[in-house]
Amino acid sequence: MMLLVQAFVGVIEEFGQDDVDCAPELKLLISERLPATLLDVFVQLIEGQSPDGSWEAKHETSAYAMIALSSLLVVPWAASIRATGKKCLDSGRSYVLREMHRWEHGDFLWIEKVAYALSPLSQAYCLAAAKISIADLDILQTSIAEPDKRLLRFFSMIEPFSRGPSWKLDACVTQSLYSVHALRQVKLAVFPEMEKTSNHEYLQFIPFTWIGCNHFYNCGASPELLWEMMLISMLNFQVDAYMETVVGIDLLENLGEVRHVIDRLCRKSTQVRLKRSREDEEDHTNRRSEKRRGEPILADDPASESTAQSNGPQSFAATRDAENTPPSSEASTTSLREVEIVLCTFTTHILQHPFVLRSPQYLQSWLCRSLHQFLNAHITHIEDCTLLSSNGFPATTFYNWVHTTSADHTSCPFSFVFYLCLMHGRRAPQGRPCDDLFPGAQFKYLLEDACRHLATMCRQHNDYGSVARDRKEKNLNSIDFPEFQEQSKQLRDRSAKSPNQDAESKAKECLLEIAEYERVGLNLAMEGIRKKVDAGLMSELKLFCEVTDLYGRIYLARDIGVQRKAKKSAV
């Protein structure tokens, strides 16, 4: 890590000046990707230091960490970040000097056939670390992104960030800013620009939710996994807006046909997946033989594609460009055909993702079903909202609605399964699917139960924060159900001291209490899962739950959903 940091900082120093002329790709690397990576390393170094000033209680390891940290401190980060780094350097120097009698005894850090120590290296690097002078560090004359003050103020009031150190929040917000720029590059890769929507600030929030939770909960997720989930989070906001403002308005009279489109797209993907699975089984022996002879794997084998192809804006946009126009029924209008193309691109990105194709078959099937339910839930939601606007109401209870249609509508269930596929796909050997990380019926039951509690709680928090918008746009909200209206009436009747008590506030308060009941079920399911997995897997599962829960807390404080633009009044 030390040598990598020094190399990255050297590249920024050499090419980071605004007046330096270099290729656009190199400029992007220097201005966004390298600083984001260095900040990630910075947080890991600070978090990895022990209270006694050491790293891993080893003098040689501590020396390498200190030299890496000193290289990071020449980058002009925010004042709180630099101050924390300097404090850690002082603590590290004290530890290394205390261990001077051990410098000539290297740690067993080097590996060939066996682990071995190199005393000359230990002495040289410990001496170099002890001689680091913070005052002599030359700050690079290059521009580094400043943390967004609005996001800092907002998240400093939300747990767990309100309880954490300010430098860490500054680092996470700064690091997320670089991912915001990357998301903007692929914003129109699947869904077109939607003129009937406003309030697109969700792009500012998405990267921080993943980066912040990853660092504050010490989940240790890879940048690759975080980026993939940022993309899915962006798509989830976009598909919600698309279904409401395009399908829900332009195709309101053709919702049945849109359901047929959804059915066809998911069925088509299932057929492709099953065909590919059979071909993989038939060709597996041949491909193993080809690799033994030194021949390359076939280029059209999805499992042989570089995982990097699924991580960048270029490949993400290419999904849409490469997709053929799907068939549409004779009764379809131009709008319906356009919707089918967009949804085809969306479902293809999800279901044909390289990591999904490397996951076990049961997960691929589960993902397909969940995605189908997610898209159909949007159609049902449009129908329910139309019914509500004409003084009708869905023929169901709040409990049933919030655990089925409404929970599926949040995108949490299908996103959770997609996340499980990513966990498997990243671990899969080249050219082969990964072994099941969650074997057994009880394990899978606990996962689905946890997901359903999480999705239900997410919906309830979302509805709490979006009551005003839902009233304006005539969307069905949890507190519209008779159960809440009856309770509000009873509360008004019983409240002799304050007969004008706000019924809506009481309904929202009741909704939060129900959400906490769902949290109890979530915690119980997660505790059962914890007993069955190792710490690494549990940390990754915890990350998804914490990010989803964070969105709930965001909505409790502020509605960040995409809104419909108000219709202009006729003059």
Side-chain angles (χ1 to χ4, degrees):
M1 185 179 290
M2 176 192 70
L3 297 177
L4 188 66
V5 166
Q6 290 176 324
F8 283 179
V9 172
V11 172
I12 293 177
E13 182 177 13
E14 184 70 23
F15 299 100
Q17 306 298 327
D18 293 335
D19 57 349
V20 173
D21 186 24
C22 59
E25 295 81 5
L26 182 58
K27 202 70 176 177
L28 178 65
L29 179 72
I30 295 168
S31 63
E32 295 187 11
R33 296 180 183 175
L34 290 187
T37 301
L38 291 175
L39 265 178
D40 191 64
V41 173
F42 182 91
V43 174
Q44 292 183 50
L45 283 173
I46 301 301
E47 292 291 298
Q49 188 178 35
S50 302
D52 64 355
S54 73
W55 279 265
E56 299 179 7
K58 297 177 180 178
H59 57 281
E60 188 177 350
T61 300
S62 299
Y64 297 143
M66 289 175 60
I67 295 172
L69 195 54
S70 67
S71 297
L72 288 167
L73 286 176
V74 306
V75 182
W77 309 116
S80 64
I81 299 175
R82 289 179 49 77
T84 301
K86 292 177 180 179
K87 183 179 178 181
C88 288
L89 268 183
D90 286 337
S91 179
R93 183 190 298 106
S94 297
Y95 172 81
V96 169
L97 290 175
R98 288 198 307 270
E99 299 295 312
M100 186 182 296
H101 61 283
R102 298 177 55 196
W103 287 6
E104 63 181 16
H105 304 292
D107 295 325
F108 285 82
L109 305 175
W110 306 95
I111 300 175
E112 285 188 358
K113 291 184 177 179
V114 295
Y116 63 97
L118 288 172
S119 296
L121 278 182
S122 175
Q123 289 177 295
Y125 279 103
C126 285
L127 179 62
K131 293 293 184 180
I132 292 174
S133 174
I134 297 175
D136 293 337
L137 294 177
D138 295 325
I139 307 303
L140 298 181
Q141 300 301 313
T142 185
S143 57
I144 294 294
E146 291 287 332
D148 189 315
K149 294 181 179 179
R150 294 174 302 170
L151 287 183
L152 284 175
R153 285 195 298 269
F154 180 76
F155 283 109
S156 65
M157 298 182 292
I158 295 179
E159 291 190 1
F161 317 112
S162 60
R163 295 181 282 104
S166 60
W167 73 265
K168 198 171 185 179
L169 182 59
D170 287 348
C172 292
V173 170
T174 304
Q175 187 182 350
S176 67
L177 182 61
Y178 298 111
S179 295
V180 172
H181 297 162
L183 284 179
R184 283 176 177 160
Q185 294 176 23
V186 297
K187 180 183 175 183
L188 302 179
V190 173
F191 293 96
E193 193 72 61
M194 287 168 266
E195 298 178 354
K196 300 175 184 177
T197 63
S198 61
N199 187 26
H200 294 172
E201 65 178 350
Y202 64 89
L203 281 178
Q204 301 284 340
F205 285 79
I206 287 172
F208 178 83
T209 59
W210 288 98
I211 292 171
C213 285
N214 186 49
H215 285 318
F216 272 77
Y217 289 106
N218 299 316
C219 295
S222 69
E224 184 180 41
L225 179 63
L226 297 178
W227 170 249
E228 291 293 346
M229 292 311 297
M230 290 179 203
L231 287 177
I232 289 300
S233 299
M234 179 187 71
L235 290 176
N236 289 342
F237 275 97
Q238 291 179 325
V239 71
D240 185 66
Y242 187 80
M243 298 298 277
E244 280 193 22
T245 63
V246 177
V247 175
I249 296 177
D250 297 342
L251 293 174
L252 186 59
E253 303 300 324
N254 304 93
L255 295 182
E257 293 180 67
V258 178
R259 284 193 189 274
H260 289 312
V261 168
I262 294 170
D263 293 344
R264 181 164 60 251
L265 292 177
C266 291
R267 183 170 61 249
K268 173 185 174 184
S269 179
T270 301
Q271 292 169 349
V272 170
R273 174 174 50 80
L274 292 176
K275 178 181 178 182
R276 183 171 283 156
S277 176
R278 287 193 296 268
E279 291 174 349
D280 287 347
E281 290 178 2
E282 293 172 359
D283 296 343
H284 181 59
T285 303
N286 294 334
R287 286 191 280 110
R288 287 182 62 186
S289 300
E290 289 172 355
K291 287 198 287 186
R292 281 196 297 269
R293 293 195 301 268
E295 298 176 7
I297 300 176
L298 295 176
D300 59 355
D301 178 7
S304 70
E305 298 174 0
S306 170
T307 56
Q309 292 178 344
S310 67
N311 300 330
Q314 295 84 357
S315 64
F316 185 63
T319 302
R320 182 177 186 177
D321 297 335
E323 187 62 43
N324 293 324
T325 302
S328 55
S329 63
E330 295 180 0
S332 298
T333 63
T334 301
S335 294
L336 184 60
R337 288 195 293 272
E338 292 173 353
V339 167
E340 188 165 1
I341 293 171
V342 171
L343 293 183
C344 183
T345 307
F346 174 65
T347 56
T348 298
H349 174 73
I350 302 298
L351 298 176
Q352 302 301 321
H353 191 287
F355 283 166
V356 171
L357 297 177
R358 295 180 189 175
S359 61
Q361 284 298 318
Y362 85 89
L363 268 181
Q364 295 185 44
S365 299
W366 185 10
L367 177 61
C368 189
R369 290 194 304 271
S370 298
L371 183 60
H372 183 264
Q373 291 166 352
F374 167 66
L375 294 173
N376 267 312
H378 275 83
I379 305 301
T380 303
H381 178 71
I382 294 170
E383 294 170 340
D384 290 344
C385 292
T386 303
L387 190 61
L388 183 69
S389 64
S390 59
N391 297 320
F393 207 80
T396 184
T397 64
F398 170 66
Y399 177 90
N400 183 68
W401 174 81
V402 80
H403 282 88
T404 53
T405 300
S406 187
D408 290 328
H409 182 270
T410 65
S411 79
C412 175
F414 107 79
S415 297
F416 179 69
V417 186
F418 181 78
Y419 187 78
L420 298 182
C421 289
L422 294 183
M423 291 175 64
H424 282 79
R426 289 177 56 249
R427 292 171 168 82
Q430 191 73 9
R432 294 182 59 190
C434 178
D435 293 334
D436 190 0
L437 299 175
F438 315 112
Q442 185 183 15
F443 209 155
K444 294 174 176 60
Y445 187 94
L446 288 171
L447 285 171
E448 194 161 0
D449 186 50
C451 177
R452 189 55 51 171
H453 285 298
L454 184 63
T456 303
M457 186 175 69
C458 177
R459 165 53 62 197
Q460 291 162 345
H461 286 162
N462 185 307
D463 280 2
Y464 178 96
S466 62
V467 169
R469 173 163 58 91
D470 288 340
R471 289 279 189 273
K472 179 181 177 181
E473 298 178 357
K474 297 181 179 179
N475 289 327
L476 180 61
N477 188 287
S478 291
I479 67 171
D480 291 327
F481 275 79
E483 293 90 327
F484 292 93
Q485 300 303 316
E486 292 172 2
Q487 184 184 37
S488 298
K489 182 178 183 302
Q490 293 172 0
L491 287 170
R492 286 197 300 268
D493 295 341
R494 294 174 186 171
S495 183
K497 294 182 180 180
S498 54
N500 296 321
Q501 194 169 23
D502 188 0
E504 183 178 289
S505 296
K506 284 296 182 181
K508 291 170 67 176
E509 181 181 332
C510 178
L511 183 62
L512 281 187
E513 292 175 355
I514 296 173
E516 288 307 303
Y517 175 83
E518 292 293 338
R519 185 185 299 279
V520 173
L522 170 63
N523 292 340
L524 183 62
M526 291 299 290
E527 184 58 34
I529 294 171
R530 189 186 308 277
K531 297 175 181 178
K532 293 179 173 293
V533 296
D534 59 39
L537 282 179
M538 193 64 208
S539 292
E540 290 190 28
L541 291 172
K542 177 181 173 65
L543 175 61
F544 183 91
C545 293
E546 295 297 349
V547 171
T548 306
D549 195 15
L550 174 59
Y551 276 106
R553 293 195 291 275
I554 290 174
Y555 273 100
L556 293 179
R558 179 178 180 178
D559 183 6
I560 64 170
V562 180
Q563 300 179 15
R564 299 179 195 169
K565 285 184 178 179
K567 295 181 180 179
K568 294 182 179 179
S569 57
V571 179

